[in-house]
Amino acid sequence: MNSTERELLQLIEKNGRLETGTIAKLMGITEDETKQILVKLEKEKVILGYSAIIDWTKGTEDGAVTAMIDVKVTPKRGVGFDKVAERIYRFPEVKAVYLMSGVYDLSVSIEGKTMAEVGRFVSEKLSTIDSVISTTTHFILKKYKHDGLVFSDNDEDKRIVVSP
């Protein structure tokens, strides 16, 4: 990946709604070059998709319940954790799966309509997988910041940007 592609990725990672003309101006390249780079990165699956970050607590009483589940597994010979992770990420409730260092092997993020629904997922689907030894479920009670965006009603909080 070259520096132009990396710069473009950094721009759209912060704002996936930027128009190609705006990206081109910011980067000092043509709009056609911008489109070509985007198509190339999409074909190479560097860009996997575009999404919005939504605060579901606004204007609705029926927000989803999100849980982070620590999963301890027995890895399979020859494939390690990959086959177990694949089985887990195929469930529609699962939003993310990560291989972790530490006490637990996998971290699984899921969404359900209620805590009971999440509980059923853990007891009926996740814990019944052969390689799963144990699970610990953590429910997210409130989001303060997600993907670099502050969830706050205070406009001053939303403008704070700390760069590394």
Side-chain angles (χ1 to χ4, degrees):
M1 178 178 312
N2 64 41
S3 61
T4 304
E5 292 169 343
R6 187 169 282 113
E7 182 182 357
L8 185 144
L9 290 171
Q10 289 170 339
L11 285 171
I12 64 170
E13 182 179 40
K14 289 183 179 145
N15 184 354
R17 294 186 65 188
L18 284 175
E19 294 181 7
T20 53
T22 305
I23 296 169
K25 287 177 188 169
L26 289 169
M27 294 180 57
I29 60 176
T30 69
E31 190 168 350
D32 283 340
E33 287 174 301
T34 303
K35 289 177 184 176
Q36 289 171 1
I37 294 169
L38 285 169
V39 167
K40 175 184 181 278
L41 294 172
E42 288 168 355
K43 282 183 181 175
E44 292 175 351
K45 297 200 183 295
V46 175
I47 299 173
L48 298 174
Y50 302 87
S51 63
I53 298 170
I54 299 166
D55 185 349
W56 288 106
T57 64
K58 305 282 185 183
T60 179
E61 298 299 317
D62 58 337
V65 174
T66 304
M68 299 297 296
I69 306 166
D70 298 327
V71 184
K72 187 173 257 189
V73 301
T74 304
K76 297 285 187 185
R77 182 179 298 266
V79 293
F81 297 100
D82 294 346
K83 285 293 180 192
V84 180
E86 182 180 343
R87 244 183 110 191
I88 294 169
Y89 71 61
R90 292 196 180 279
F91 289 113
E93 300 91 338
V94 173
K95 301 301 174 196
V97 178
Y98 305 99
L99 179 61
M100 306 296 288
S101 64
V103 177
Y104 288 90
D105 304 305
L106 299 173
S107 180
V108 180
S109 173
I110 75 160
E111 281 187 7
K113 291 180 182 164
T114 64
M115 286 184 166
E117 186 178 286
V118 171
R120 278 193 302 278
F121 170 82
V122 173
S123 65
E124 296 172 10
K125 295 180 180 178
L126 187 60
S127 64
T128 60
I129 296 172
D130 288 338
S131 298
V132 172
I133 297 169
S134 66
T135 64
T136 302
T137 303
H138 310 273
F139 289 96
I140 294 178
L141 303 177
K142 182 177 180 179
K143 283 185 188 178
Y144 293 100
K145 187 174 183 178
H146 181 80
D147 281 346
L149 295 175
V150 175
F151 283 63
S152 172
D153 289 330
N154 183 348
D155 288 336
E156 289 298 313
D157 287 344
K158 293 178 184 176
R159 285 187 275 231
I160 297 172
V161 177
V162 179
S163 32

